Amino acid sequence: MRKITNINAGWRFLKAAMPPATAIHFAPQGEAVSLPHTWNAVDGQDGGNDYHRGFCWYVRELTAEETRGERLFLEVNGAAHTCHVYLNGELLTKHEGGYSAFRVELTEHLRGKNVLSLCVSNEDNDSVYPQKADFTFYGGLYRDVNLISVPAEHFELLKDGTPGIKVTPVVDLEKKTATVRVETWHNAESVDITVNGETKTVERTAEFVIENVHLWDGLDDPFLYTATAKLPSGDEVSTRFGCRVFACDPEKGFFLNGRSYPLRGVSRHQDLKGKGNALSYEDHKADMAIIRELGANTLRLAHYQHAQEFYDLCDENGLVVWAEIPYITMHMPNGRQNTLDQMRELITQCYNHPCIAVWGLSNEITAASAVNEDLLENHRALNELCHRMDKTRPTTMADVFMLEIDSPILEIPDINSYNLYFGWYLGELEQTDEFFDEYHAKYPNRVIGFSEYGADANPAFHSSRPEKGDYTEEYQALYHEHMLQMIEARPYLWATHVWNLFDFAADGRDEGGKHGENQKGLVTFDRSLRKDAFWLYKAAWNRTEPFVHLCGKRYENRAEDETEIKVYSNCGEVTLCVDGTPVGTVKGKTVFRFRIPLLGEHLIRAEADGCGDTMVIRRVSEPDESYIFNKAAANVTNWFDADELDPACFSVSDTLGEIRQHPQAGPIVEAMMAKGASERGDVADAVKDNPALQRMMGRMTMLSLLKQGGADEESIKQLNRVLQGIRK
Ligand code: GCU
């Protein structure tokens, strides 16, 4: 019989680079730790881009009881990012890739006393992905480590961390049947395979037909079957599987089991405030509960292979998943083999999960790399590998907004998807609509998705005149209100994923009043607070529990005579009460707006279908400075009131396109743009070489471009003075 022994407890951690023998020698002085563990739980989340990247040691003695059995294997479910495994000082294996499981046999190397030492590294290098991205590359043994004892005759354990069993259900919706092919890998003469109560004795592979099949039907009914395989030696493996049909139509979007099923959801990184990526099963379950409350029916598990436990939760909850490898941002010529290794392990280890719909080849890989032959060839090799290993799922890739829609790389994956941030990083919200309409008109036969979109919000910041880049909760909500409408008007978008459900660690960031965090989450990093935008999507997607949500609870002090009260609700009619008196009822869908006078402090209550929400707000004489993140930028909107500017001359309120045309003013702004670009490095080249982006920027005012580029107040005023000296 197979025996799995978890050995998360009892490790000694040495945060130091040293030879194996030295690590074993000093282990007793090491820090006593239990897995899951990361050495970047704190410095990987506090900003400064200075978290420890090096190689560290985990050392543990194995007891006689733990090493009992005919054949003994070590299983490591997550060692980020490169791991060398030593037993009694002897190197047994090296694994490169921080997100997949791997195993190594210990049997022949066991001695009387057995000391396991794992050297784990998150150092930067030019061959193991990821190396450049907007998230912290935590180092550590951050998932379970187990010993697996099996008889001499056992299922395959080593090849790419295989489960030893592969299940391919093919559903015939007309006949209501599923043909289930079960393949196994082992070293015995025969195997007994059981599916749905039927057992067949075969060499390796068996096929079953399930009549009147119970479909895996997304959120409504994620029904799971189990396939079990058993050898004469007693070794046994099993896996759950789901019978479903996924399809993508270029015009009508995604279909589940023959019915239109637009995939509308969010992305998730696997980290948590204070714990890094060393998450427990309870942490994963807690995240899934929030996802189910939101009402998302799809998840993009970015930007790497997530824990098996989380794909299991997606299977059980009926979420349709985008799985991917961390081939991200910057192409590395020496990294091709690593992309293939990580993709092979992802598919080998995750193939049986019914929740997975697509394999993501890369993410924004042209953000800091040219589309050259080496990059194209790497994608072709990955695409072919996916199709060889899995004939049932399409491939996709998430493209950066600067990538021209005519780029040859878009012809490689089966499905295209774009990450667009118009209305946050640059441009206006409406340019998202224009982008998709232009793409879909030009490529009507291509399936297209919206793989990322979002805006940062710090729940401390508020405004009644929210605008792009102010990090207010109100702007994030407005941004998502626009995107929700844009998406609902474009059913051809096969999947859309908000970036991101949770704030997450990017130690290189220092913005929006937080160090080391990307704040595009609908929920804060510690999961303690749902921002207003969370309730917008819950109102649009969660049709099970009626609720009303008053926006702006944290925007208590309002320096205005009249204020907007916005309510998100999945009910059809909302009534607003002020100080106990009903002041209005609005019929509608998702978003309900009211305007009320502010005379002092008021108790506000929204009610619908028996549920309600309450808040207190008050009139104040001066704006509450604590609500403003960028005080300098906050004033810039009234720097250039129309009456101050000479309309006969240029100013920063004119568009880049207008100013560029002028023989005298043009070179001045080009020089300023070139200076700004040189400070942004590679990304700027991609912008400069992208005609679509250039056209878009031409439509933006110099003020908008400069604010977005982070120009300081004095530079903006200086440029304006120069432009005001140039007659149009
Ligand atoms: C990109 C990238 C993400 C990143 C996001 C952002 O699209 O794919 O990893 O976090 O932009 O800038 O917030």
Side-chain angles (χ1 to χ4, degrees):
M1 284 299 281
R2 174 171 297 211
K3 180 170 173 257
I4 297 174
T5 307
N6 176 269
I7 55 169
N8 285 358
W11 293 82
R12 289 284 172 172
F13 173 66
L14 295 160
K15 188 175 181 180
M18 59 180 80
T22 313
I24 293 174
H25 175 75
F26 283 106
Q29 281 94 310
E31 178 192 350
V33 300
S34 288
L35 311 182
H37 177 266
T38 173
W39 61 75
N40 297 121
V42 175
D43 70 356
Q45 310 187 337
D46 60 0
N49 207 19
D50 54 2
Y51 59 102
H52 183 68
R53 296 192 64 187
F55 75 84
C56 303
W57 286 93
Y58 292 87
V59 182
R60 183 188 192 280
E61 189 165 342
L62 301 180
T63 66
E65 178 54 33
E66 288 169 340
T67 57
R68 207 180 302 286
E70 280 189 83
R71 309 296 293 269
L72 189 70
F73 291 78
L74 173 73
E75 175 184 77
V76 179
N77 283 288
H81 285 253
T82 298
C83 180
H84 290 75
V85 176
Y86 296 83
L87 182 63
N88 305 321
E90 181 190 356
L91 176 62
L92 301 190
T93 191
K94 170 174 118 173
H95 182 263
E96 293 183 322
Y99 304 96
S100 53
F102 66 94
R103 302 189 189 104
V104 61
E105 182 160 10
L106 305 180
T107 316
E108 277 79 24
H109 309 280
L110 292 169
R111 302 286 177 269
K113 176 181 178 195
N114 292 293
V115 178
L116 203 51
S117 41
L118 273 63
C119 172
V120 183
S121 161
N122 66 343
E123 293 167 292
D124 56 9
N125 61 60
D126 68 353
S127 62
V128 180
Y129 286 93
Q131 290 299 324
K132 185 181 177 102
D134 181 36
F135 61 98
T136 296
F137 308 147
Y138 297 99
L141 282 180
Y142 69 97
R143 293 183 186 150
D144 286 347
V145 173
N146 301 311
L147 291 174
I148 302 176
S149 160
V150 289
E153 288 191 344
H154 57 271
F155 289 95
E156 173 62 36
L157 284 161
L158 296 181
K159 184 155 177 28
D160 296 322
T162 177
I165 182 170
K166 178 179 178 182
V167 182
T168 307
V170 177
V171 174
D172 183 321
L173 291 171
E174 293 297 312
K175 296 178 185 167
K176 294 188 186 307
T177 61
T179 303
V180 181
R181 177 182 171 79
V182 181
E183 300 166 81
T184 62
W185 288 262
H186 55 77
N187 60 357
E189 295 298 316
S190 69
V191 56
D192 287 352
I193 301 177
T194 303
V195 166
N196 200 29
E198 182 186 4
T199 298
K200 294 184 175 180
T201 302
V202 294
E203 276 193 32
R204 299 260 177 281
T205 302
E207 207 157 87
F208 301 79
V209 176
I210 301 178
E211 303 290 343
N212 197 25
V213 63
H214 192 153
L215 295 175
W216 186 90
D217 202 40
L219 295 179
D220 300 340
D221 183 12
F223 184 80
L224 294 169
Y225 287 92
T226 298
T228 302
K230 188 168 184 176
L231 299 179
S233 66
D235 191 23
E236 181 175 319
V237 293
S238 69
T239 181
R240 296 183 302 182
F241 65 92
C243 298
R244 80 283 186 270
V245 179
F246 291 155
C248 292
D249 179 276
E251 194 52 49
K252 298 175 187 161
F254 189 80
F255 280 68
L256 170 63
N257 297 330
R259 73 178 189 281
S260 171
Y261 194 80
L263 295 180
R264 301 294 177 250
V266 294
S267 289
R268 174 196 188 242
H269 264 303
Q270 59 171 12
D271 70 345
L272 191 59
K273 186 76 177 168
K275 293 186 88 169
N277 60 354
L279 302 186
S280 67
Y281 183 62
E282 294 315 310
D283 296 325
H284 289 303
K285 278 205 307 189
D287 279 0
M288 180 52 74
I290 296 172
I291 291 161
R292 294 307 310 278
E293 178 193 345
L294 182 68
N297 66 6
T298 180
L299 275 180
R300 182 180 168 201
L301 292 184
H303 281 301
Y304 34 74
Q305 183 174 333
H306 283 231
Q308 283 304 321
E309 295 87 339
F310 203 78
Y311 294 113
D312 286 339
L313 285 168
C314 292
D315 293 336
E316 294 159 16
N317 284 276
L319 273 296
V320 178
V321 164
W322 164 324
E324 65 185 78
I325 60 169
Y327 183 18
I328 184 166
T329 311
M330 178 181 70
H331 171 73
M332 300 187 292
N334 296 338
R336 177 177 305 189
Q337 188 53 49
N338 184 249
T339 63
L340 296 168
D341 293 344
Q342 292 204 47
M343 183 60 85
R344 217 181 37 255
E345 291 178 332
L346 172 67
I347 297 176
T348 300
Q349 296 173 24
C350 299
Y351 179 94
N352 296 330
H353 289 287
C355 65
I356 295 176
V358 293
W359 303 115
L361 305 181
S362 64
N363 180 77
E364 301 203 341
I365 198 63
T366 60
S369 302
V371 180
N372 61 26
E373 190 47 34
D374 192 52
L375 184 142
L376 290 168
E377 194 40 44
N378 200 148
H379 279 74
R380 290 188 197 105
L382 277 171
N383 201 49
E384 285 152 24
L385 173 66
C386 291
H387 289 155
R388 250 191 340 270
M389 293 185 70
D390 184 350
K391 308 258 182 295
T392 71
R393 293 180 175 97
T395 58
T396 187
M397 62 187 278
D399 301 302
V400 67
F401 72 93
M402 295 95 84
L403 180 69
E404 265 298 87
I405 60 175
D406 304 319
S407 171
I409 197 167
L410 294 174
E411 294 161 21
I412 296 175
D414 302 313
I415 291 174
N416 284 175
S417 293
Y418 263 84
N419 300 346
L420 302 178
Y421 286 97
F422 300 124
W424 178 251
Y425 286 123
L426 83 169
E428 305 311 325
L429 296 167
E430 295 70 21
Q431 285 163 281
T432 314
D433 315 38
E434 293 163 17
F435 177 93
F436 281 121
D437 292 344
E438 177 185 344
Y439 181 97
H440 189 54
K442 188 160 189 180
Y443 297 103
N445 298 321
R446 274 193 199 164
V447 174
I448 179 72
F450 195 10
S451 34
E452 270 186 46
Y453 65 102
D456 287 70
N458 179 327
F461 301 137
H462 301 282
S463 170
S464 294
R465 286 178 304 287
E467 60 173 29
K468 168 175 59 184
D470 67 7
Y471 291 91
T472 61
E473 214 174 338
E474 286 73 26
Y475 183 76
Q476 186 191 48
L478 275 184
Y479 171 94
H480 282 293
E481 286 172 29
H482 177 90
M483 294 305 164
L484 192 59
Q485 287 181 336
M486 189 284 295
I487 289 164
E488 288 177 349
R490 290 165 180 79
Y492 61 76
L493 294 172
W494 76 280
T496 64
H497 294 98
V498 173
W499 188 262
N500 194 297
L501 175 55
F502 304 111
D503 291 347
F504 60 88
D507 199 50
R509 279 181 175 256
D510 189 355
E511 52 182 273
K514 289 270 182 72
H515 306 300
E517 279 186 39
N518 180 312
Q519 297 183 80
K520 290 188 184 67
L522 305 177
V523 177
T524 49
F525 196 12
D526 61 3
R527 277 63 170 166
S528 67
L529 187 152
R530 291 156 172 71
K531 303 173 194 176
D532 286 339
F534 174 90
W535 300 95
L536 169 73
Y537 286 106
K538 181 174 175 180
W541 295 341
N542 183 322
R543 313 313 297 171
T544 52
E545 52 175 295
F547 76 92
V548 284
H549 170 77
L550 276 167
C551 298
K553 287 194 182 68
R554 285 171 282 279
Y555 185 24
E556 290 183 27
N557 302 324
R558 305 191 187 192
E560 49 194 9
D561 300 329
E562 191 185 76
T563 194
E564 176 183 70
I565 303 293
K566 186 160 63 176
V567 178
Y568 293 151
S569 173
N570 56 4
C571 304
E573 180 177 294
V574 174
T575 295
L576 191 74
C577 298
V578 176
D579 301 328
T581 306
V583 296
T585 296
V586 171
K587 290 183 189 304
K589 178 172 174 281
T590 310
V591 183
F592 300 81
R593 290 184 176 80
F594 303 83
R595 289 200 70 80
I596 64 167
L598 273 187
L599 308 170
E601 183 167 290
H602 300 288
L603 176 65
I604 310 292
R605 180 166 172 77
E607 294 176 344
D609 286 357
C611 46
D613 194 16
T614 304
M615 69 177 176
V616 173
I617 59 174
R618 64 186 65 80
R619 172 85 171 79
V620 291
S621 53
E622 292 302 320
D624 185 329
E625 290 282 306
S626 72
Y627 293 156
I628 300 172
F629 163 61
N630 183 343
K631 292 167 182 55
N635 303 325
V636 79
T637 45
N638 52 31
W639 279 347
F640 306 107
D641 292 344
D643 54 14
E644 283 180 27
L645 298 175
D646 176 353
C649 297
F650 284 107
S651 76
V652 290
S653 302
D654 293 316
T655 67
L656 174 61
E658 290 163 332
I659 302 171
R660 254 179 179 155
Q661 308 300 329
H662 191 271
Q664 191 187 351
I668 293 170
V669 292
E670 293 295 0
M672 189 135 196
M673 298 299 286
K675 176 177 175 295
S678 65
E679 286 156 11
R680 281 197 307 280
D682 301 315
V683 173
D685 295 342
V687 173
K688 178 167 57 65
D689 303 338
N690 181 320
L693 265 185
Q694 287 302 321
R695 284 195 304 276
M696 184 198 66
M697 289 171 69
R699 293 196 291 264
M700 293 169 62
T701 66
M702 274 314 294
L703 181 57
S704 171
L705 283 164
L706 292 170
K707 275 171 63 184
Q708 225 154 261
D712 62 69
E713 170 179 342
E714 198 34 53
S715 317
I716 295 176
K717 288 190 169 178
Q718 171 60 23
L719 176 64
N720 193 58
R721 281 192 288 271
V722 170
L723 291 173
Q724 279 284 276
I726 302 173
R727 300 192 70 76
K728 290 181 176 177

